[in-house]
């Protein structure tokens, strides 16, 4: 069957159109996959197989036709192919032989090549491994180095090395296991470093707290040195001014300035704190460290502010304040040198906390104190404490307010202690004039208190006009002034002279003067003691000016200004009043003693039958007593005081005589009794005149002598013995001769002046007309006085 017949049959038997499509697709080399997929998806694979079979048959027909067309060429080609086949077989054999030989030669080379390739692969892996190992070794070396720094406590170097480890770990370590281990250990190491630094900071806090007391004591000691240097300069300046005022020569002023570096004096180590600050900064937790430091230091401060009750405050206050001072000195250094570890407001908060507790403590302790020296001791140390911390910018006004509020309490305690000292001095004083044997004693006792009455140095031994109580009292007053100035110095008041003067006045009035009055008014006081006390008060009045000048100098008032002070002490006037009280008490005691002798109503015979030219016995006792106290009075008291005491005694004698005449105990008296009183008066008048001139008072009190103090008794006796007593009522006569007599008193006395019928007076009257005339005149006076009354 020819090709056409077959093709036609195929077309007739199959679906010609679809078969042609498949054939064209295959002929064109197109992808028949979609068509195959479509056929299976449509469930018609049979049609596809039929088409493929048609294509195969078609291609076979084409091959057959082509073979027929090229049959001759094909035969020739086959022949040639057979020839070529033989050649190819030979060539194959040769090739096999060559291949065998090549295989024999190449197998060795191939093995070597494979070994070489494997070697190159191994070398590459080893190179990478070595590089990786180097990186790992470098990282591990960093880790070892970091561990070494940590073990040596070099935490900053450890952190820097740890940063390198962390950086290398991120970039150069492909080893996952090692990388994970390192990444896990880095936070642990940082936490370990943080804990170690906290331990070091805690140890430093413990050490610095134990050193704070020494730091504070050193700083306060430096403040003491500065204060002493200032006081020495003031004292030197005062001496220079004294020399300048006294004209002792030119004066050269020198100023020694010693600059002391604060940090060189106060040595304490902040290195651990600096290191911890820097390490925490490197760790990125600086704020946490700031809070940690502030909290723990505040806890330490609160602990330091608590005072133990096991030890008295007066024994522990220096340690207490030195500890607090050391604390704030350290914090000031921390604030200035650590950047922003502490903030100024935090330090201020701590300071305000400390101030509140310390002022409360001081107020409580001051209220309980019963000793002025203890209170002054605490006050001085508190001012030194405040002065020290003021240099570091701390406000100390609250402390000064507490000290100022305790000023009255201190001075009350000081007054009480000085009162006891004054009482002891008065109790131990023999009230005898002091005998000074040496010039040095004179300087210490007299000149040091300006008690001298002359600038000329006396001869020794020298008897002072005062007893030992005066210099002892002056020493107590001087110590009081110094104690007052010491408390008020470096306080809230800069110019405190007026305050010192107020307390000095209070001391002199409420203590010294009151004690003097108590002594003056005591029951066991003697005349000699009263005289000496009066003399002592005179000296103490003069010493008041010294006390005021001394207080002014201690208050820092220049000497050239002290003399211009217009202020005076009220105590000076009060002491003058007390001196007057002493004289009144002295006069009263003398008069009492004299009254004890002049018991005229009992010891005198008021109706004697004869006269006694030697006077009555009492008058001699009075003379002896007057001499016994007038002689020492001339040595102790000034002239005016001697005159005052003497005149008072003689006036009391006169009053006693007049009172005896007018006493109810004396019912009557006669002329002989009057004559005996006349003799008594003459004796006492002679003694008065002699004592006036022996005391050196004759020229000063010539017109008002001691004798004039007996004028009332003298005029009464003169009246009773007068030949014309009735002239008593004559104004001219009374003003001239009887001005000291009272009419009513005279009337009472004359009413008792009577003579018995058998008495001497009556017999004389009968024999003597003159006596009779005097009696008549006396009767006339009596009658007139009765009419007058």
């Amino acid at each position: 069957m020819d090709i056409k017949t077959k093709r036609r049959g195929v077309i007739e038997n199959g679906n010609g159109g679809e078969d042609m499509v498949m054939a064209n697709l295959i002929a064109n080399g197109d992808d028949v996959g979609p068509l195959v997929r479509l056929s299976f998806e449509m469930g018609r694979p049979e049609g596809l197989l039929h088409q493929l079979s048609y294509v195969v048959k078609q291609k076979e027909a084409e091959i057959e036709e082509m073979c027929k067309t090229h049959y001759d060429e094909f035969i020739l080609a086959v022949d040639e192919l057979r020839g070529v086949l033989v050649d190819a077989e030979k060539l194959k054999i040769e090739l096999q032989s060559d291949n065998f030989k090549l295989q024999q030669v190449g197998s060795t080379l191939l093995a070597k090549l494979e070994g070489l390739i494997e070697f190159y692969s191994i070398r590459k892996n080893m190179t990478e491994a070595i590089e990786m190992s180097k990186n790992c070794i470098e990282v591990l070396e960093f880790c070892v180095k970091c561990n070494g720094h940590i073990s040596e406590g070099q935490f900053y170097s450890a952190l820097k090395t740890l940063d390198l480890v962390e950086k290398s770990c991120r970039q150069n370590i492909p080893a996952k296991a090692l990388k994970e281990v390192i990444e896990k250990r880095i936070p642990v190491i940082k936490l370990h470093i943080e804990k170690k630094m906290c331990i070091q900071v805690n140890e430093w806090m413990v050490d610095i707290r134990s050193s704070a007391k020494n730091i504070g004591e050193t700083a306060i000691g430096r403040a003491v040195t500065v204060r002493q240097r200032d006081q020495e300069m003031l004292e030197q300046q005062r001496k220079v001014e004294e020399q300048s005022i006294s004209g002792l020569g030119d004066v050269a002023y020198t100023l020694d300035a010693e600059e002391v570096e604060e940090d060189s004096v106060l040595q304490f180590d902040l290195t651990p704190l600096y290191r911890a600050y820097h390490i925490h900064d490197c760790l990125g937790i600086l704020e946490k460290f700031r809070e940690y430091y502030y909290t723990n230091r505040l806890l330490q401060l609160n602990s330091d502010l608590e005072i133990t009750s096991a030890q008295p405050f007066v024994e522990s206050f220096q340690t207490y304040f030195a500890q607090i001072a050391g604390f704030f000195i350290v914090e000031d250094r921390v604030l200035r040198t650590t950047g922003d570890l502490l903030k100024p407001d935090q330090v201020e908060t701590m300071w305000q906390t400390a101030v509140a507790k310390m002022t409360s403590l001081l107020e409580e302790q001051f209220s309980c104190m019963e000793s002025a020296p203890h209170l002054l001791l605490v006050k001085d140390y508190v001012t030194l404490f405040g002065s020290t911390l003021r240099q570091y910018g701390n406000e100390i006004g609250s402390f000064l307010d507490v000290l100022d509020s305790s000023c009255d309490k201190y001075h009350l305690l000081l007054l009480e202690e000085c009162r006891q000292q004054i009482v002891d001095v008065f109790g131990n004083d023999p009230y005898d004039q002091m005998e000074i044997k040496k010039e040095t004693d004179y300087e210490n006792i007299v000149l040091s208190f300006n008690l001298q009455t002359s600038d000329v140095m006396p001869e020794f031994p020298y008897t002072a006009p005062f007893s030992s109580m005066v210099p002892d009292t002056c020493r107590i007053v001087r110590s009081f002034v110094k104690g007052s100035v010491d408390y008020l110095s470096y306080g809230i008041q800069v110019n405190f002279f007026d305050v010192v003067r107020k307390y000095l006045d209070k001391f002199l009035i409420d203590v010294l003067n009151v004690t003097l009055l108590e002594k003056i008014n005591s029951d066991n006081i003697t005349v000699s003691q009263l005289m000496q006390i009066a003399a002592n008060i005179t000296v103490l009045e003069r010493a008041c000016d010294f006390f005021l000048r001394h207080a002014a100098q201690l208050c820092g008032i220049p000497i050239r200004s002290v003399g211009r002070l217009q202020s005076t002490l009220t105590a000076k006037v009060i002491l003058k009043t007390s001196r007057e009280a002493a004289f009144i008490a002295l006069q009263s005691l003398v008069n009492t003693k004299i009254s004890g002798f002049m018991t005229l109503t009992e010891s005198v015979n008021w109706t004697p039958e004869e006269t006694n030219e030697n006077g009555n016995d009492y008058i001699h006792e009075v003379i002896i007593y007057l001499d016994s106290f007038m002689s020492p009075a001339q040595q102790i008291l000034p002239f005016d005081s001697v005159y005052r005491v003497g005149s008072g005694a003689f006036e009391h004698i006169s009053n006693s005589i007049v009172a005896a005449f007018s006493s109810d105990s004396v019912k009557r008296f006669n002329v002989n009794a009057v004559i005996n009183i006349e003799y008594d008066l003459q004796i006492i008048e002679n003694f008065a005149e002699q004592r006036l001139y022996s005391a050196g008072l004759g020229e000063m009190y010539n017109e008002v002598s001691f004798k004039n103090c007996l004028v009332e008794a003298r005029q009464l006796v003169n009246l009773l013995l007068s030949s014309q007593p009735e002239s008593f009522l004559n104004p001219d006569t009374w003003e001239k001769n009887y001005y000291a007599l009272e009419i009513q008193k005279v009337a009472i006395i004359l009413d008792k002046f009577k003579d018995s019928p058998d008495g001497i007076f009556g017999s004389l009257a009968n024999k003597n007309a003159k006596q009779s005339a005097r009696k008549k005149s006396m009767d006339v006076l009596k009658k007139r006085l009765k009419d007058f009354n």
Side-chain angles (χ1 to χ4, degrees):
M1 181 184 293
D2 57 11
I3 296 174
K4 294 181 180 179
T5 302
K6 291 181 179 179
R7 183 179 299 173
R8 185 170 52 249
V10 173
I11 294 172
E12 291 175 353
N13 293 333
N15 190 346
E18 292 179 359
D19 294 341
M20 289 301 293
V21 172
M22 179 62 70
N24 290 333
L25 287 175
I26 293 172
N28 294 332
D30 293 333
D31 185 14
V32 295
L35 187 60
V36 174
R37 190 181 303 112
L38 180 62
S39 297
F40 280 97
E41 289 177 355
M42 296 177 63
R44 294 172 57 189
E46 297 83 0
L48 178 62
L49 293 174
H50 177 74
Q51 292 176 9
L52 292 174
S53 299
Y54 169 75
V55 173
V56 171
K57 290 178 179 179
Q58 186 180 15
K59 291 297 182 181
E60 288 178 350
E62 290 179 356
I63 293 171
E64 183 180 355
E65 185 177 354
M66 185 173 291
C67 288
K68 287 179 179 182
T69 303
H70 300 284
Y71 178 77
D72 293 333
E73 290 84 358
F74 181 73
I75 293 297
L76 291 174
V78 170
D79 290 339
E80 291 178 359
L81 182 60
R82 286 178 179 177
V84 171
L85 184 60
V86 174
D87 294 335
E89 188 67 25
K90 292 180 180 179
L91 183 58
K92 178 180 178 183
I93 293 171
E94 292 177 358
L95 286 174
Q96 287 178 346
S97 176
D98 292 338
N99 180 52
F100 177 73
K101 294 178 181 178
L102 183 60
Q103 287 293 334
Q104 287 181 336
V105 176
S107 59
T108 304
L109 295 176
L110 183 60
K112 292 181 178 181
L113 179 60
E114 290 176 353
L116 181 62
I117 293 173
E118 184 179 359
F119 171 76
Y120 276 116
S121 177
I122 292 172
R123 188 180 69 174
K124 180 182 178 182
N125 291 337
M126 289 183 67
T127 302
E128 293 177 356
I130 291 171
E131 187 65 28
M132 185 188 303
S133 298
K134 287 182 179 180
N135 293 334
C136 292
I137 289 171
E138 183 180 3
V139 172
L140 292 174
E141 287 177 348
F142 286 149
C143 293
V144 172
K145 188 176 181 181
C146 180
N147 287 336
H149 289 319
I150 292 174
S151 63
E152 294 173 0
Q154 299 177 359
F155 298 119
Y156 176 73
S157 300
L159 283 177
K160 288 299 182 183
T161 306
L162 199 61
D163 288 341
L164 296 176
V165 171
E166 193 172 7
K167 183 178 179 181
S168 300
C169 188
R170 286 197 303 266
Q171 297 178 355
N172 302 326
I173 301 181
K176 184 177 181 182
L178 178 61
K179 185 175 183 179
E180 289 178 354
V181 170
I182 292 176
E183 289 177 347
K184 289 180 180 179
R185 293 300 298 174
I186 287 176
V188 176
I189 293 173
K190 288 184 177 181
L191 182 60
H192 173 74
I193 292 175
E194 180 185 353
K195 290 181 179 179
K196 283 290 187 181
M197 292 312 303
C198 287
I199 291 174
Q200 290 188 5
V201 170
N202 291 338
E203 291 175 351
W204 175 83
M205 286 184 180
V206 173
D207 292 340
I208 203 67
R209 184 184 183 188
S210 63
S211 303
K213 181 175 75 72
N214 293 332
I215 295 171
E217 287 176 347
T218 302
I220 292 175
R222 184 170 167 230
V224 171
T225 302
V226 172
R227 180 176 293 185
Q228 290 176 346
R229 186 167 65 244
D230 292 342
Q231 291 174 348
E232 290 172 358
M233 291 177 62
L234 289 175
E235 183 63 26
Q236 183 180 2
Q237 182 180 0
R238 186 178 298 118
K239 291 180 180 179
V240 168
E241 289 180 354
E242 290 177 353
Q243 295 176 1
S244 176
I245 292 173
S246 60
L248 296 180
D250 296 334
V251 179
Y253 289 88
T254 60
L255 179 61
D256 296 331
E258 181 182 359
E259 294 294 335
V260 180
E261 184 65 27
E262 179 262 343
D263 289 343
S264 65
V265 175
L266 302 176
Q267 295 290 345
F268 52 90
D269 188 16
L270 294 181
T271 303
L273 188 63
Y274 297 150
R275 185 186 302 117
Y277 175 84
H278 193 53
I279 294 300
H280 281 82
D281 190 18
C282 293
L283 289 172
I285 52 174
L286 187 56
E287 187 61 35
K288 178 181 177 181
F289 179 63
R290 290 196 192 100
E291 185 64 27
Y292 177 82
Y293 176 81
Y294 175 69
T295 302
N296 282 274
R297 287 295 279 168
L298 189 58
L299 290 174
Q300 284 187 332
L301 175 62
N302 288 327
S303 178
D304 291 338
L305 289 170
E306 297 296 330
I307 189 167
T308 177
S309 59
Q311 191 177 14
F313 182 71
V314 293
E315 297 178 6
S316 62
F317 73 90
Q318 291 185 348
T319 301
Y320 177 81
F321 284 107
Q323 182 74 24
I324 303 302
F327 177 90
F328 282 100
I329 290 172
V330 171
E331 293 311 297
D332 177 77
R333 184 82 62 84
V334 171
L335 179 65
R336 289 187 293 109
T337 60
T338 58
D340 55 352
L341 174 58
L342 271 180
K343 297 179 180 178
D345 58 345
Q346 289 178 322
V347 177
E348 181 64 23
T349 300
M350 290 192 289
W351 174 247
Q352 293 302 327
T353 300
V355 167
K357 290 192 176 181
M358 286 188 288
T359 53
S360 176
L361 173 67
L362 286 174
E363 289 173 351
E364 178 184 356
Q365 294 297 328
F366 282 169
S367 65
C368 299
M369 285 187 181
E370 298 298 332
S371 172
H374 288 168
L375 204 153
L376 178 61
L377 195 64
V378 175
K379 175 265 172 188
D380 282 342
Y381 205 81
V382 170
T383 55
L384 289 170
F385 168 83
S387 176
T388 300
L389 291 185
R390 182 166 51 191
Q391 299 175 8
Y392 297 91
N394 296 300
E395 176 59 41
I396 63 169
S398 299
F399 292 105
L400 300 181
D401 291 339
V402 172
L403 299 178
D404 187 61
S405 64
S406 301
C407 183
D408 287 338
K409 170 68 179 293
Y410 168 77
H411 281 90
L412 286 176
L413 294 175
L414 187 61
L415 284 171
E416 190 57 36
E417 292 179 4
C418 291
R419 183 195 307 277
Q420 188 57 48
Q421 295 175 16
I422 291 291
V423 170
D424 293 341
V425 166
F426 282 21
N428 297 327
D429 188 12
Y431 294 97
D432 295 328
Q433 290 178 305
M434 291 189 70
E435 184 177 347
I436 303 175
K437 299 180 179 180
K438 296 185 297 183
E439 182 177 347
T440 55
D441 293 339
Y442 183 82
E443 292 175 354
N444 295 330
I445 294 173
V446 178
L447 298 181
S448 60
F449 302 110
N450 287 347
L451 303 180
Q452 70 275 14
T453 56
S454 173
D455 294 335
V456 179
M457 184 68 69
E459 295 182 358
F460 298 98
Y462 166 73
T463 302
F466 48 81
S467 65
S468 62
M469 76 164 253
V470 171
D472 290 342
T473 299
C474 289
R475 292 186 188 98
I476 296 173
V477 175
R478 185 170 61 184
S479 68
F480 176 86
V481 172
K482 186 178 186 306
S484 180
V485 172
D486 287 344
Y487 189 89
L488 293 169
S489 298
Y490 308 101
I492 195 170
Q493 302 184 48
V494 179
N495 300 318
F496 49 85
F497 170 68
D498 291 338
V499 181
V500 174
R501 183 185 61 187
K502 179 188 74 172
Y503 285 116
L504 174 59
D505 239 347
K506 184 176 181 64
F507 171 73
L508 293 175
I509 295 172
D510 295 349
V511 176
L512 177 59
N513 185 69
V514 169
T515 308
L516 282 169
L517 291 176
E518 290 175 353
K519 184 66 177 178
I520 290 169
N521 298 322
S522 62
D523 295 333
N524 58 350
I525 193 75
T526 64
V527 172
S528 61
Q529 289 177 339
L530 280 172
M531 286 191 294
Q532 190 61 65
I533 288 175
N536 290 346
I537 294 176
T538 301
V539 179
L540 289 174
E541 288 180 52
R542 192 163 62 248
C544 285
D545 295 333
F546 163 76
F547 298 149
L548 192 62
R549 289 195 302 272
H550 182 66
Q553 291 178 7
L554 291 182
C555 291
I557 298 178
I559 294 178
R560 59 180 177 274
S561 302
V562 172
R564 297 196 295 269
L565 290 175
Q566 300 298 321
S567 58
T568 57
L569 291 173
T570 307
K572 191 172 184 179
V573 179
I574 302 298
L575 286 174
K576 185 176 182 179
T577 305
S578 297
R579 177 164 56 89
E580 182 67 23
F583 279 120
I584 293 174
L586 174 62
Q587 195 70 67
S588 175
L589 187 58
V590 169
N591 293 345
T592 301
K593 291 289 186 179
I594 292 175
S595 297
F597 298 118
M598 296 192 64
T599 55
L600 275 68
T601 58
E602 300 175 1
S603 61
V604 173
N605 183 3
W606 291 98
T607 57
E609 295 183 357
E610 56 184 18
T611 61
N612 182 7
E613 294 182 358
N614 294 325
N616 294 297
D617 294 337
Y618 79 88
I619 200 65
H620 299 290
E621 294 178 354
V622 170
I623 292 296
I624 293 172
Y625 176 72
L626 288 176
D627 185 67
S628 68
F629 91 85
M630 288 289 287
S631 295
Q634 293 175 213
Q635 302 296 326
I636 298 174
L637 299 176
F639 288 149
D640 58 339
S641 300
V642 173
Y643 173 77
R644 179 178 178 180
V645 174
S647 62
F650 289 115
E651 185 176 351
H652 181 69
I653 293 172
S654 175
N655 294 336
S656 298
I657 293 174
V658 175
F661 278 106
S662 61
S663 172
D664 293 338
S665 300
V666 178
K667 303 300 182 181
R668 57 177 293 181
F669 61 90
N670 58 23
V671 67
N672 289 340
V674 176
I675 293 172
N676 288 338
I677 296 298
E678 163 67 15
Y679 291 146
D680 295 342
L681 270 177
Q682 290 178 4
I683 293 172
I684 197 69
E685 285 174 346
N686 292 334
F687 176 80
E689 286 297 300
Q690 180 268 333
R691 181 57 64 182
L692 180 73
Y693 286 97
S694 66
L697 302 175
E699 295 181 0
M700 298 173 58
Y701 299 99
N702 186 32
E703 296 182 359
V704 285
S705 64
F706 287 151
K707 184 177 179 180
N708 292 340
C709 297
L710 299 166
V711 62
E712 185 178 9
R714 166 50 62 194
Q715 290 181 3
L716 177 61
V717 171
N718 288 343
L719 175 64
L720 294 176
L721 298 179
S722 173
S723 59
Q724 295 181 342
E726 60 181 314
S727 64
F728 172 76
L729 293 178
N730 186 298
D732 294 335
T733 304
W734 182 87
E735 185 175 355
K736 179 180 180 181
N737 299 322
Y738 305 113
Y739 58 86
L741 298 178
E742 296 180 10
I743 295 177
Q744 293 180 351
K745 190 180 294 185
V746 169
I748 295 172
I749 294 172
L750 291 181
D751 193 48
K752 299 178 183 182
F753 188 32
K754 298 177 181 180
D755 292 318
S756 59
D758 54 351
I760 298 176
F761 188 76
S763 62
L764 290 175
N766 294 328
K767 296 178 180 179
N768 194 333
K770 189 174 183 179
Q771 290 284 355
S772 178
R774 184 175 61 183
K775 182 176 182 301
K776 291 179 180 179
S777 179
M778 183 67 70
D779 292 338
V780 172
L781 176 60
K782 290 180 181 179
K783 184 176 182 303
R784 289 181 179 178
L785 289 176
K786 288 181 180 179
D787 296 340
F788 180 80
N789 290 334

